[in-house]
Amino acid sequence: MARHDPTELAKAAYAAYGGATGGKNYRGEPMPAWDDLGTQIQTAWEVAAEATARMVLGLTRRADGQSERKGAAR
């Protein structure tokens, strides 16, 4: 898999979410800027973006932590 910066993926996903909601969060309040989210929320976006990228690329994690493509020979 090509290396993708999880933070850049997360920022893109966060911006897309804001674009789809008119810049509002799930409560209908204005979304904070990325830098104002705090580490825990930024990390959550990074984990979600990375999981989505893996799904789109057809990658899974083996028990030993190595990547493999779905359907690939072991």
Side-chain angles (χ1 to χ4, degrees):
M1 170 174 118
R3 291 294 301 162
H4 299 287
D5 180 1
T7 301
E8 292 306 313
L9 290 173
K11 286 179 179 181
Y14 187 71
Y17 179 94
T21 64
K24 305 289 184 185
N25 68 15
Y26 73 99
R27 292 181 179 161
E29 300 166 349
M31 290 173 57
W34 175 262
D35 291 335
D36 296 332
L37 287 177
T39 303
Q40 184 177 11
I41 299 301
Q42 287 178 352
T43 299
W45 277 96
E46 290 168 359
V47 169
E50 184 72 16
T52 302
R54 290 190 159 285
M55 179 180 275
V56 168
L57 294 172
L59 298 175
T60 59
R61 283 268 182 211
R62 298 188 324 207
D64 62 2
Q66 298 297 311
S67 297
E68 74 178 62
R69 288 200 176 271
K70 287 184 181 177
R74 295 181 188 198

